[in-house]
Amino acid sequence: MIKINKIYTKTGDGGTTGLVDGPRRQKDDLRIEAYGTVEEANATVGLARLHSRDMARADHTLARIQNDLFDLGSDLATPGPDEGRKYKALRTTAKQVEWLENQIDIYNEALEPLRSFILPGGTPLSAALHLARTVTRRAERIAVALKRAEPEVNPEVLRYLNRLSDLLFVLSRVANGNGSKDVLWEPGRHTGETKSG
């Protein structure tokens, strides 16, 4: 079990931070940006859960996602090969990705077919899940850039973030009455207007 006694250490005052393994890195390093954005995604899922209390199954799903995102952040905070480590590195697994795929299939069954792209909105939970989805997509883009710079990055991290954004999209529709309250994009609806308002 992890034990944290002191909140501030002052070791990062010079602009560097420590990883699980390896030398300290600058706080604007791509790896730090990647797991920091994963942490931001996790926080937005936490905000969404403020609105999911009446949807026990979805809330349980989001709770598991939060825990798995912490695993994924630990994976990104542990660079380098796994061989020769004193302690086993925590890595995102194919089973975690498969669980997301299974959830997408289950939740998607009850949804009305899409007739257009969806605007973020509808219920508070749906809007919050759209925010979590877009932050997750940003985390994915940064992780892709990190993988290009540091090829040893676990490919399951990229797969997990990709599937997670899909699941959050599906859950946003579930939160909108299984799609009945989705706010649909109407292409070009206002392009012919000449007056404001």
Side-chain angles (χ1 to χ4, degrees):
M1 182 58 99
I2 296 172
K3 185 177 181 182
I4 301 172
N5 289 325
K6 196 163 185 173
I7 300 301
Y8 66 91
T9 62
K10 302 183 182 180
T11 56
D13 290 353
T16 65
T17 191
L19 300 172
V20 173
D21 254 347
R24 294 180 69 81
R25 296 204 186 187
Q26 292 293 318
K27 289 186 177 181
D28 61 355
D29 182 273
L30 196 54
R31 185 172 288 273
I32 312 307
E33 185 69 20
Y35 74 69
T37 308
V38 168
E39 184 177 17
E40 188 180 343
N42 202 336
T44 60
V45 173
L47 282 173
R49 291 188 67 205
L50 295 177
H51 304 287
S52 64
R53 293 183 182 132
D54 295 334
M55 298 178 67
R57 189 162 171 271
D59 188 66
H60 177 75
T61 299
L62 294 172
R64 172 165 172 167
I65 287 167
Q66 285 195 285
N67 199 83
D68 285 353
L69 280 174
F70 237 94
D71 289 351
L72 191 145
S74 177
D75 188 332
L76 287 171
T78 312
D82 290 338
E83 295 76 26
R85 289 185 185 279
K86 187 175 179 181
Y87 301 103
K88 187 175 182 342
L90 182 58
R91 298 295 183 205
T92 299
T93 67
K95 285 188 176 182
Q96 288 171 301
V97 176
E98 288 164 11
W99 179 82
L100 289 175
E101 292 172 348
N102 181 256
Q103 296 305 301
I104 291 167
D105 291 341
I106 290 170
Y107 282 109
N108 200 47
E109 277 183 17
L111 295 180
E112 294 182 5
L114 281 172
R115 300 186 315 274
S116 179
F117 288 103
I118 294 173
L119 303 180
T123 65
L125 176 56
S126 181
L129 289 167
H130 276 292
L131 177 61
R133 174 185 61 80
T134 59
V135 175
T136 299
R137 281 292 187 206
R138 178 157 44 90
E140 180 189 10
R141 292 192 299 271
I142 296 168
V144 166
L146 176 63
K147 175 89 171 143
R148 193 165 49 247
E150 300 182 36
E152 79 277 4
V153 168
N154 179 4
E156 298 300 335
V157 164
L158 305 184
R159 292 182 64 221
Y160 186 94
L161 292 171
N162 191 18
R163 296 303 184 284
L164 176 57
S165 61
D166 292 337
L167 176 55
L168 292 171
F169 175 76
V170 168
L171 286 173
S172 74
R173 299 198 66 216
V174 170
N176 270 346
N178 285 335
S180 64
K181 298 177 185 173
D182 283 339
V183 181
L184 299 180
W185 173 48
E186 300 175 42
R189 180 179 177 187
H190 305 291
T191 57
E193 291 184 1
T194 55
K195 296 180 181 178
S196 62

